[in-house]
PDB file of all heavy atoms in Angstrom:
ATOM      1  N   SER A 825     112.595 107.212 110.710  1.00  0.00           N
ATOM      2  CA  SER A 825     111.524 107.734 111.585  1.00  0.00           C
ATOM      3  C   SER A 825     111.858 107.512 113.049  1.00  0.00           C
ATOM      4  O   SER A 825     111.632 108.381 113.891  1.00  0.00           O
ATOM      5  CB  SER A 825     110.172 107.096 111.231  1.00  0.00           C
ATOM      6  OG  SER A 825     110.170 105.725 111.547  1.00  0.00           O
ATOM      7  N   THR A 826     112.447 106.345 113.355  1.00  0.00           N
ATOM      8  CA  THR A 826     112.733 106.068 114.770  1.00  0.00           C
ATOM      9  C   THR A 826     113.964 106.830 115.251  1.00  0.00           C
ATOM     10  O   THR A 826     114.078 107.133 116.434  1.00  0.00           O
ATOM     11  CB  THR A 826     112.933 104.558 115.035  1.00  0.00           C
ATOM     12  OG1 THR A 826     113.932 104.046 114.136  1.00  0.00           O
ATOM     13  CG2 THR A 826     111.636 103.789 114.841  1.00  0.00           C
ATOM     14  N   ARG A 827     114.884 107.142 114.336  1.00  0.00           N
ATOM     15  CA  ARG A 827     116.042 107.955 114.737  1.00  0.00           C
ATOM     16  C   ARG A 827     115.557 109.328 115.199  1.00  0.00           C
ATOM     17  O   ARG A 827     115.937 109.829 116.256  1.00  0.00           O
ATOM     18  CB  ARG A 827     117.022 108.063 113.555  1.00  0.00           C
ATOM     19  CG  ARG A 827     118.219 108.946 113.791  1.00  0.00           C
ATOM     20  CD  ARG A 827     119.110 108.445 114.925  1.00  0.00           C
ATOM     21  NE  ARG A 827     119.740 107.160 114.621  1.00  0.00           N
ATOM     22  CZ  ARG A 827     120.213 106.330 115.549  1.00  0.00           C
ATOM     23  NH1 ARG A 827     120.125 106.644 116.839  1.00  0.00           N
ATOM     24  NH2 ARG A 827     120.769 105.186 115.202  1.00  0.00           N
ATOM     25  N   ILE A 828     114.679 109.927 114.391  1.00  0.00           N
ATOM     26  CA  ILE A 828     114.151 111.250 114.742  1.00  0.00           C
ATOM     27  C   ILE A 828     113.323 111.156 116.033  1.00  0.00           C
ATOM     28  O   ILE A 828     113.493 111.945 116.965  1.00  0.00           O
ATOM     29  CB  ILE A 828     113.295 111.812 113.577  1.00  0.00           C
ATOM     30  CG1 ILE A 828     114.195 112.095 112.367  1.00  0.00           C
ATOM     31  CG2 ILE A 828     112.547 113.080 114.010  1.00  0.00           C
ATOM     32  CD1 ILE A 828     113.443 112.479 111.096  1.00  0.00           C
ATOM     33  N   GLY A 829     112.448 110.164 116.092  1.00  0.00           N
ATOM     34  CA  GLY A 829     111.563 110.034 117.255  1.00  0.00           C
ATOM     35  C   GLY A 829     112.336 109.825 118.548  1.00  0.00           C
ATOM     36  O   GLY A 829     112.066 110.483 119.564  1.00  0.00           O
ATOM     37  N   ALA A 830     113.323 108.940 118.523  1.00  0.00           N
ATOM     38  CA  ALA A 830     114.072 108.649 119.753  1.00  0.00           C
ATOM     39  C   ALA A 830     114.866 109.875 120.203  1.00  0.00           C
ATOM     40  O   ALA A 830     114.951 110.165 121.406  1.00  0.00           O
ATOM     41  CB  ALA A 830     115.008 107.457 119.533  1.00  0.00           C
ATOM     42  N   THR A 831     115.420 110.607 119.244  1.00  0.00           N
ATOM     43  CA  THR A 831     116.195 111.803 119.602  1.00  0.00           C
ATOM     44  C   THR A 831     115.284 112.821 120.295  1.00  0.00           C
ATOM     45  O   THR A 831     115.629 113.410 121.321  1.00  0.00           O
ATOM     46  CB  THR A 831     116.830 112.427 118.336  1.00  0.00           C
ATOM     47  OG1 THR A 831     117.545 111.408 117.633  1.00  0.00           O
ATOM     48  CG2 THR A 831     117.768 113.570 118.688  1.00  0.00           C
ATOM     49  N   TRP A 832     114.086 113.004 119.731  1.00  0.00           N
ATOM     50  CA  TRP A 832     113.161 113.986 120.312  1.00  0.00           C
ATOM     51  C   TRP A 832     112.632 113.546 121.678  1.00  0.00           C
ATOM     52  O   TRP A 832     112.622 114.334 122.633  1.00  0.00           O
ATOM     53  CB  TRP A 832     111.993 114.248 119.350  1.00  0.00           C
ATOM     54  CG  TRP A 832     111.025 115.232 119.912  1.00  0.00           C
ATOM     55  CD1 TRP A 832     111.216 116.578 120.068  1.00  0.00           C
ATOM     56  CD2 TRP A 832     109.728 114.942 120.448  1.00  0.00           C
ATOM     57  NE1 TRP A 832     110.112 117.153 120.660  1.00  0.00           N
ATOM     58  CE2 TRP A 832     109.182 116.159 120.900  1.00  0.00           C
ATOM     59  CE3 TRP A 832     108.982 113.767 120.591  1.00  0.00           C
ATOM     60  CZ2 TRP A 832     107.922 116.244 121.489  1.00  0.00           C
ATOM     61  CZ3 TRP A 832     107.722 113.852 121.163  1.00  0.00           C
ATOM     62  CH2 TRP A 832     107.205 115.089 121.615  1.00  0.00           C
ATOM     63  N   LEU A 833     112.227 112.271 121.789  1.00  0.00           N
ATOM     64  CA  LEU A 833     111.678 111.787 123.064  1.00  0.00           C
ATOM     65  C   LEU A 833     112.727 111.914 124.172  1.00  0.00           C
ATOM     66  O   LEU A 833     112.406 112.291 125.308  1.00  0.00           O
ATOM     67  CB  LEU A 833     111.204 110.333 122.930  1.00  0.00           C
ATOM     68  CG  LEU A 833     109.976 110.122 122.029  1.00  0.00           C
ATOM     69  CD1 LEU A 833     109.802 108.643 121.678  1.00  0.00           C
ATOM     70  CD2 LEU A 833     108.702 110.657 122.695  1.00  0.00           C
ATOM     71  N   THR A 834     113.980 111.622 123.837  1.00  0.00           N
ATOM     72  CA  THR A 834     115.058 111.756 124.821  1.00  0.00           C
ATOM     73  C   THR A 834     115.212 113.221 125.232  1.00  0.00           C
ATOM     74  O   THR A 834     115.337 113.539 126.421  1.00  0.00           O
ATOM     75  CB  THR A 834     116.379 111.202 124.238  1.00  0.00           C
ATOM     76  OG1 THR A 834     116.141 109.858 123.820  1.00  0.00           O
ATOM     77  CG2 THR A 834     117.494 111.218 125.265  1.00  0.00           C
ATOM     78  N   ALA A 835     115.163 114.120 124.236  1.00  0.00           N
ATOM     79  CA  ALA A 835     115.267 115.554 124.538  1.00  0.00           C
ATOM     80  C   ALA A 835     114.099 116.006 125.417  1.00  0.00           C
ATOM     81  O   ALA A 835     114.223 116.947 126.205  1.00  0.00           O
ATOM     82  CB  ALA A 835     115.300 116.359 123.242  1.00  0.00           C
ATOM     83  N   GLU A 836     112.951 115.323 125.292  1.00  0.00           N
ATOM     84  CA  GLU A 836     111.781 115.624 126.121  1.00  0.00           C
ATOM     85  C   GLU A 836     111.920 115.074 127.535  1.00  0.00           C
ATOM     86  O   GLU A 836     111.001 115.207 128.347  1.00  0.00           O
ATOM     87  CB  GLU A 836     110.526 114.996 125.500  1.00  0.00           C
ATOM     88  CG  GLU A 836     109.992 115.723 124.284  1.00  0.00           C
ATOM     89  CD  GLU A 836     109.373 117.063 124.666  1.00  0.00           C
ATOM     90  OE1 GLU A 836     108.290 117.066 125.274  1.00  0.00           O
ATOM     91  OE2 GLU A 836     109.992 118.100 124.368  1.00  0.00           O
TER      92      GLU A 836
END
Side-chain angles (χ1 to χ4, degrees):
S825 67
T826 53
R827 176 62 65 201
I828 293 172
T831 308
W832 179 72
L833 292 166
T834 305
E836 285 289 289

